[in-house]
Each structure stands twice: as structure tokens, then as C-alpha cells.
Amino acid sequence: MITEQQKMWMREAIALSSRNIDEAGGPFGAVIVKDGEIVARGANRVTADNDPTAHAEVSAIRAAAKKLGTFDLSGCEIYTSCEPCPMCLSAIYWAHIDRIYYGNTQYDAKAIDFDDSFIYTQLSLQPAERSIPAERLLGDEAIAAFNKWRDKEDKIEY
């Protein structure tokens, strides 16, 4: 069951998305909550920062990780004004965020020309068949770093 506090956090993400249109760029906002408190906010900064990865969710994750002093955001929830794109969804999984709440859908975003459906299509193709072809190069040399990591006894797992 959704609580009034959860609605408040979603409204904060929505307000960030609206303010961002006037201040910095795209209509996207996100907040990260832990233990009943907002620990970070993020808004889309792609055009403001000339950074294609500066989506609201990624910006909020970066801020939360810095504030909490950890790359593991287990115990956190993210409230985002729109269903996360493939990059943001991946970042949310990498950050170990427990739950996602979103306002607009990917179809709502597509209707205003934020269409990520081509990325989902690309992901289903073999690397060499994608519109940006990918080809393995020097795998026999690259594996040495992976072997070194595998054998490292004092590594910090993530």
C-alpha cells in the first residue's frame, strides 16, 4: 500500500522535473530515500553539463553515494518522475537500490520525443549486428586483468 509519505516523495521528484525544464533541461527528476529521509535529489543535466549520462536517476545515485559514503545503496528507494531508461535502470541495479517508484511511463516519454525503444531493440541483437557494431579485440590479452581480479584476495566486491 502506498503511503502519504511515499506520495510526497514522488511529488518531490515530479516538482524537480518541472523546475528543471526552466533551469537546466529535460523534464526528469528523482529522489533517493533511505530510512524515511530524502538523502539525494537529481534532475536531468544532459544539456546543462554536456553529459549524456547525467540523467536524473544517475545524478541522484551519484549524490546519494557521495553523501552516504558508499557505492551500495541497499536500503534505499528511488522515486523518479519517469520510468527509468535502460541506462538508468542498469545504474539502479548496480547501486542495489531496493525499490523503484515512477510517475510517467516509457510510452509517455516517447510521446514527447524521449524514445528509448531503439536501445531495447539494440540490446536484443548480437553485438556485431547492432547499429554501432561491436567486435571483440585482444580478448586473450584483456583476460589477464580479469584473472588478476579473480585471484586478488583483498578485493572489495561489488
Side-chain angles (χ1 to χ4, degrees):
M1 178 162 168
I2 299 298
T3 67
E4 288 304 312
Q5 189 151 30
Q6 289 173 308
K7 290 178 185 177
M8 180 186 71
W9 294 324
M10 179 56 76
R11 288 186 180 112
E12 175 69 14
I14 293 166
L16 281 167
S17 73
S18 184
R19 275 196 311 272
N20 200 57
I21 295 167
D22 298 325
E23 296 173 4
F28 302 97
V31 297
I32 294 180
V33 173
K34 183 170 185 165
D35 298 327
E37 299 290 329
I38 293 176
V39 295
R41 292 170 173 80
N44 183 285
R45 305 273 314 158
V46 171
T47 57
D49 293 350
N50 292 316
D51 179 354
T53 68
H55 291 198
E57 297 91 339
V58 171
S59 296
I61 288 168
R62 289 173 180 162
K66 185 174 184 177
K67 181 175 182 177
L68 297 173
T70 181
F71 56 83
D72 185 342
L73 300 181
S74 296
C76 293
E77 298 175 337
I78 190 165
Y79 295 78
T80 179
S81 63
C82 187
E83 182 178 359
C85 75
M87 177 186 69
C88 293
L89 184 60
S90 296
I92 290 165
Y93 275 96
W94 277 113
H96 304 285
I97 292 173
D98 292 352
R99 192 164 185 95
I100 304 166
Y101 296 94
Y102 62 91
N104 294 309
T105 69
Q106 63 178 289
Y107 306 106
D108 297 326
K110 182 178 181 176
I112 61 165
D113 297 324
F114 288 95
D115 185 5
D116 297 323
S117 60
F118 73 98
I119 297 173
Y120 292 105
T121 300
Q122 292 292 305
L123 289 172
S124 68
L125 299 173
Q126 292 297 313
E129 298 172 352
R130 295 177 183 156
S131 63
I132 301 175
E135 182 176 349
R136 188 171 188 201
L137 181 63
L138 299 179
D140 57 330
E141 294 178 30
I143 198 69
F146 277 19
N147 291 338
K148 183 178 179 179
W149 173 258
R150 181 196 62 217
D151 298 339
K152 183 174 172 58
E153 292 186 17
D154 62 341
K155 63 186 167 214
I156 298 173
E157 300 275 352
Y158 62 96

